[in-house]
Amino acid sequence: MKNPILPPDAKQIPYELEKHGDVRIDEYYWMNERDSPDVLAYLEAENRYYEEMTAHTKPLQQKLFEEMKARIKEDDESVPYKYNGYWYYTRFEKGKNYPIYCRRKELMLAPEEILFDNNEMAAGHSYFNQAGYSISENNELAVFGIDTVSRRQYTLQFKNLKTGALYPESIKNTTGSAVWAGDNKTLFYTRKDPQTLRSSQIFKHVLGTDSSEDILVFEEEDETFDVGVFKTKSRDYIFIGSSSTLTTEYLYTEAKGPEFEFEVLQKRTRGLEYSVSHFGEDFYLVTNKDNAINFKLMKTPVSQTAKENWVDVIPHREDTLLEDVEIFEDFLVIEERNDGLNKINVKRWDNTEDYYLPFENETYTAYTGINPDFDTHFLRYSFNSLDTPPSVISFNMVTKEKEVLKEIEVLGGEFDKENYESKRIWAKAKDGVNIPISLVYKKGIQLDGANPVLQYAYGSYGITTDPSFSTSRLSLLDAGFIFAIAHIRGEEYMGRHWYEDGKLLRKMNTFTDFVACSEHLIEAGYTSSKNLYAYGGSAGGLLIGAVINLAPQLYHGVIAAVPFVDVVTTMLDDSIPLTTSEYDEWGNPNDKEYYEYMKSYSPYDQVKVQEYPNILVTTGYHDSQVQYWEPAKWVARLRDKNTADTKIYFNTNMDAGHGGASGRFEALKETAQDYAFLIDLAGKTK
């Protein structure tokens, strides 16, 4: 008889962690010793165990990968947009992993200029990512950021677009983005703290000089804030933005220089948030000033920017979240969210017209696209839904005529949107609040509890998961799965209050909302506990960890990707990336009240002796957002406490970080692995 394959036996070395008189014992604390032989050996053993235990799904993984790849148009091209005399677009070539960034002068019939071929640039690297690029005002120079480690620490490089030559200088440890001034030689960029990776400094660089000579323009000393730099749509101003979870502050200077002396638009005031645009003689501000919890639009003269000069343009509305604006010469376009749904409102500045773009679906995603020009009547926006592929649309704001510039093609010959159905249902939360759930499935399902359901949510930072289309997800739907997005509190799906009710000392709502959605899906006959699966990544991995501690009996299997699960320990360690900047999201555990509340839901701290469902945990060794040791420790403790005969797998991508593998095909392979785990558990492999 063949010996059973046993999981790695993680050694236990008790380590005391004391705070507020409370002592926690972390028997796997040793795993945070990055690059130590013991840690590497353990991670490699876990990867071998995962490979051995899932070897029988390799044919399924390959099948899924091939069908997902077959749906993608490999020689694809984005819709071009015109900026400063050039048409810019991105294209892919058949069989290649990475994009090629291109442009054409004045007309799309002009010769193509290849700015960056990421396929050539990625050669020799196991991971590669370019963080976009910025073009100088004279169209002759480009600055771009490269990451070959997956720690989101980008090296800036410079390229002469006339000759194709790279400049000798480079700047390490940046966010990857930079802004050119109007003189075509000066640029501003953001540098990161090398330990915490917090974006903390803005530097000025002059092309042709060594980065050691760069001048520090601004340093954010408050560890709860991050900084960035951008140029306005008008190209007249350069802004430095400093922001925390609750507060923002902007400094600005004229982009043309030559002095580049930055002034404060409005001094930071705790709780005051605003974003800024420029048009004519005014700055326009999307802000929560005057207790506008769902935000409103205000404006102020460029010459008088303090908040006492701000006046309303779009007043605050209790039932509508104002998310963003797009400014044109004759029109103001407002992106809103009402009853959870995206709305695009078009207004003439002279108030002669005011209308909404018509969207008839029950649940969908719509947002404005790239609109670099003021003097145009054409608005570019995008639309898709769970059963409708994305399209890019040009809309004439005068005639109200629209032209579909591109709809994503789903190749393979098997997709027909008429075979699928999407809808929105509502679950009742623990405290009586109605929680929306967006669903998509193949038509003809029976509500008999036999359907496998994959329930997804994120639920933090006010980041909303809109119901959008996925070609990869079709493989799950075609295997008989229902896909459900739980729009839980902690997001902003139902407005800003939806976020406020799912953070800090109300964070538990996020987890109980998810459980309530699961219970509703079961009670309504969509699935059963034997057929329900859950997925979440990063802060969504925290969600999954908390939920399987609270209600493990509801799920047959879960996937937690790069999960943030050791909440208390991480939030007490201010040397770890993101910790101090997130006190306003999770709370500061140096305060006993927050410490005790965090501990009450922290997945790692709340693992107990009980039956857990089947679990797949994935991470990246170079993850800058959630360190690899959090999921590693969590898996070891789950295995030690689990009393059920269920599978617990842990897979570490030793070449990747928080976003997983680079390259479109490598990323598909990771998705195929996840889907194979679910389909195999559901018995839908045939």
Side-chain angles (χ1 to χ4, degrees):
M1 182 177 177
K2 188 176 180 181
N3 292 328
I5 301 170
L6 298 176
D9 185 16
K11 62 183 179 181
Q12 297 188 11
I13 306 175
Y15 184 89
E16 286 193 3
L17 295 160
E18 188 276 333
K19 192 71 178 178
H20 304 300
D22 180 56
V23 177
R24 294 178 299 130
I25 305 298
D26 187 347
E27 62 273 32
Y28 304 110
Y29 190 82
W30 61 271
M31 290 187 185
N32 72 352
E33 298 172 13
R34 183 183 293 276
D35 295 336
S36 78
D38 285 353
V39 168
L40 291 173
Y42 174 72
L43 296 178
E44 288 163 1
E46 283 284 5
N47 282 355
R48 285 195 300 272
Y49 176 68
Y50 168 75
E51 289 295 327
E52 290 170 351
M53 293 299 291
T54 59
H56 68 285
T57 70
K58 289 294 183 184
L60 175 59
Q61 290 180 35
Q62 186 62 30
K63 173 181 176 291
L64 290 168
F65 170 72
E66 294 296 343
E67 67 185 32
M68 287 189 288
K69 183 181 176 184
R71 296 190 193 106
I72 296 173
K73 186 178 181 183
E74 292 193 46
D75 53 345
D76 203 6
E77 187 174 300
S78 68
V79 178
Y81 66 91
K82 196 172 187 182
Y83 179 77
N84 199 20
Y86 281 82
W87 288 95
Y88 288 88
Y89 58 99
T90 304
R91 61 180 178 84
F92 286 89
E93 292 183 350
K94 188 175 177 63
K96 294 185 178 180
N97 249 316
Y98 295 96
I100 301 169
Y101 298 102
C102 310
R103 71 177 183 178
R104 298 176 190 263
K105 189 173 183 179
E106 293 297 345
L107 299 171
M108 281 301 291
L109 296 175
E112 179 181 81
E113 298 178 34
I114 294 179
L115 305 177
F116 307 99
D117 186 340
N118 281 184
N119 300 285
E120 295 178 358
M121 297 162 70
H125 299 290
S126 57
Y127 177 90
F128 178 87
N129 185 44
Q130 178 177 337
Y133 57 88
S134 178
I135 306 294
S136 62
E137 291 291 332
N138 64 6
N139 294 311
E140 296 179 3
L141 306 166
V143 57
F144 59 101
I146 297 296
D147 176 16
T148 58
V149 178
S150 193
R151 285 284 286 176
R152 300 188 181 180
Q153 290 173 287
Y154 292 87
T155 297
L156 289 178
Q157 295 179 268
F158 306 88
K159 185 174 184 178
N160 186 313
L161 299 180
K162 293 180 72 175
T163 66
L166 292 177
Y167 284 77
E169 72 238 49
S170 63
I171 306 172
K172 297 184 181 299
N173 194 34
T174 78
T175 60
S177 61
V179 173
W180 290 96
D183 62 3
N184 301 302
K185 64 179 182 179
T186 305
L187 56 94
F188 298 87
Y189 66 91
T190 311
R191 188 172 285 175
K192 292 187 168 187
D193 182 291
Q195 172 125 2
T196 66
L197 303 187
R198 182 173 70 93
S199 306
S200 58
Q201 298 174 320
I202 304 295
F203 279 86
K204 181 175 75 172
H205 176 79
V206 177
L207 190 64
T209 65
D210 191 272
S211 62
S212 63
E213 301 174 19
D214 291 355
I215 296 172
L216 178 63
V217 174
F218 177 79
E219 181 166 16
E220 179 52 73
E221 296 181 354
D222 188 328
E223 293 182 344
T224 66
F225 281 73
D226 294 301
V227 297
V229 61
F230 68 94
K231 189 185 292 185
T232 57
K233 177 176 174 176
S234 65
R235 311 212 300 265
D236 290 338
Y237 291 94
I238 293 172
F239 272 87
I240 294 172
S242 195
S243 63
S244 70
T245 305
L246 298 174
T247 308
T248 50
E249 179 183 72
Y250 286 94
L251 295 83
Y252 65 98
T253 188
E254 291 190 25
K256 64 183 180 181
E259 298 302 323
F260 305 111
E261 294 180 353
F262 284 87
E263 300 178 54
V264 176
L265 190 150
Q266 164 57 44
K267 187 177 180 181
R268 69 186 64 178
T269 303
R270 181 166 173 79
L272 176 63
E273 299 175 65
Y274 65 97
S275 60
V276 59
S277 305
H278 170 244
F279 178 58
E281 300 300 317
D282 299 297
F283 290 135
Y284 286 79
L285 310 130
V286 175
T287 178
N288 66 348
K289 185 178 180 290
D290 307 321
N291 298 313
I293 186 172
N294 273 331
F295 292 80
K296 61 180 178 177
L297 182 65
M298 306 186 79
K299 72 174 182 177
T300 190
V302 169
S303 58
Q304 295 176 297
T305 63
K307 63 182 179 181
E308 55 265 25
N309 300 299
W310 300 6
V311 296
D312 282 4
V313 178
I314 305 291
H316 177 250
R317 291 159 291 172
E318 294 290 341
D319 63 348
T320 301
L321 176 67
L322 198 164
E323 295 188 314
D324 205 355
V325 296
E326 188 72 64
I327 296 173
F328 296 89
E329 190 78 36
D330 297 326
F331 294 92
L332 173 65
V333 177
I334 305 106
E335 292 187 87
E336 309 173 350
R337 187 180 296 273
N338 178 273
D339 193 32
L341 301 179
N342 301 131
K343 303 289 179 68
I344 297 178
N345 182 202
V346 178
K347 293 176 179 285
R348 277 191 179 270
W349 287 112
D350 62 9
N351 293 319
T352 58
E353 273 193 303
D354 183 345
Y355 60 90
Y356 284 85
L357 270 60
F359 302 125
E360 297 176 358
N361 298 52
E362 187 176 2
T363 179
Y364 60 87
T365 299
Y367 54 91
T368 61
I370 300 175
N371 293 281
D373 295 326
F374 284 108
D375 188 15
T376 178
H377 290 159
F378 291 93
L379 167 71
R380 184 173 291 187
Y381 72 94
S382 294
F383 177 89
N384 73 105
S385 69
L386 287 167
D387 56 6
T388 304
S391 56
V392 178
I393 298 163
S394 177
F395 178 77
N396 188 317
M397 293 181 282
V398 175
T399 66
K400 301 182 180 60
E401 296 174 321
K402 68 177 185 179
E403 177 187 2
V404 178
L405 301 177
K406 178 176 182 173
E407 181 172 288
I408 295 296
E409 294 182 63
V410 182
L411 304 183
E414 298 182 3
F415 173 73
D416 182 347
K417 65 170 293 184
E418 297 304 319
N419 293 333
Y420 303 88
E421 184 174 348
S422 65
K423 64 188 297 186
R424 188 169 63 164
I425 61 175
W426 301 78
K428 187 76 74 177
K430 187 176 181 180
D431 59 359
V433 173
N434 289 322
I435 310 298
I437 309 171
S438 293
L439 301 174
V440 63
Y441 46 83
K442 289 197 80 171
K443 288 180 178 176
I445 65 164
Q446 301 297 313
L447 298 184
D448 56 6
N451 305 299
V453 168
L454 177 59
Q455 182 179 329
Y456 172 84
Y458 184 71
S460 292
Y461 305 107
I463 297 173
T464 297
T465 303
D466 281 313
S468 57
F469 187 81
S470 165
T471 58
S472 300
R473 192 190 301 133
L474 293 173
S475 293
L476 271 187
L477 303 183
D478 290 347
F481 274 75
I482 298 171
F483 181 71
I485 301 173
H487 301 292
I488 55 181
R489 282 173 284 187
E491 301 185 355
E492 286 187 346
Y493 185 82
M494 297 297 290
R496 179 72 173 196
H497 73 282
W498 210 244
Y499 170 44
E500 301 293 342
D501 282 348
K503 70 173 189 177
L504 296 175
L505 297 176
R506 287 176 280 187
K507 188 64 202 170
M508 193 63 75
N509 285 337
T510 299
F511 316 130
T512 55
D513 283 1
F514 192 88
V515 170
C517 291
S518 299
E519 291 171 340
H520 181 76
L521 289 167
I522 292 170
E523 291 165 4
Y526 286 97
T527 191
S528 68
S529 59
K530 294 180 180 179
N531 295 297
L532 182 57
Y533 303 88
Y535 178 95
S538 193
L542 160 66
L543 166 68
I544 297 301
V547 161
I548 62 172
N549 284 331
L550 290 171
Q553 74 283 355
L554 291 179
Y555 309 94
H556 188 220
V558 302
I559 299 177
V562 293
F564 172 41
V565 286
D566 192 9
V567 183
V568 178
T569 306
T570 291
M571 292 305 296
L572 281 168
D573 186 350
D574 59 13
S575 70
I576 293 177
L578 300 183
T579 294
T580 55
S581 64
E582 302 203 352
Y583 286 157
D584 287 330
E585 177 73 25
W586 313 104
N588 184 346
N590 292 297
D591 180 323
K592 186 178 181 181
E593 182 181 24
Y594 285 106
Y595 172 88
E596 291 176 345
Y597 190 79
M598 267 183 210
K599 185 181 174 184
S600 74
Y601 67 74
S602 172
Y604 186 58
D605 291 288
Q606 294 304 318
V607 171
K608 58 181 73 76
V609 176
Q610 65 177 351
E611 293 189 354
Y612 281 95
N614 298 288
I615 303 169
L616 170 60
V617 181
T618 62
T619 194
Y621 187 61
H622 299 289
D623 196 329
S624 60
Q625 315 299 103
V626 178
Q627 309 302 310
Y628 72 86
W629 58 76
E630 290 199 40
K633 295 193 307 179
W634 183 48
V635 165
R637 185 174 279 183
L638 281 168
R639 283 221 191 92
D640 184 54
K641 303 296 185 183
N642 183 26
T643 59
D645 184 23
T646 49
K647 307 173 179 69
I648 300 179
Y649 301 148
F650 181 43
N651 186 35
T652 303
N653 187 327
M654 300 303 290
D655 297 319
H658 199 63
S662 65
R664 52 180 177 162
F665 300 136
E666 292 305 308
L668 281 182
K669 289 177 182 177
E670 291 188 340
T671 302
Q673 290 176 344
D674 292 347
Y675 285 3
F677 173 75
L678 297 170
I679 292 170
D680 182 53
L681 285 177
K684 297 287 186 177
T685 54
K686 293 184 180 179

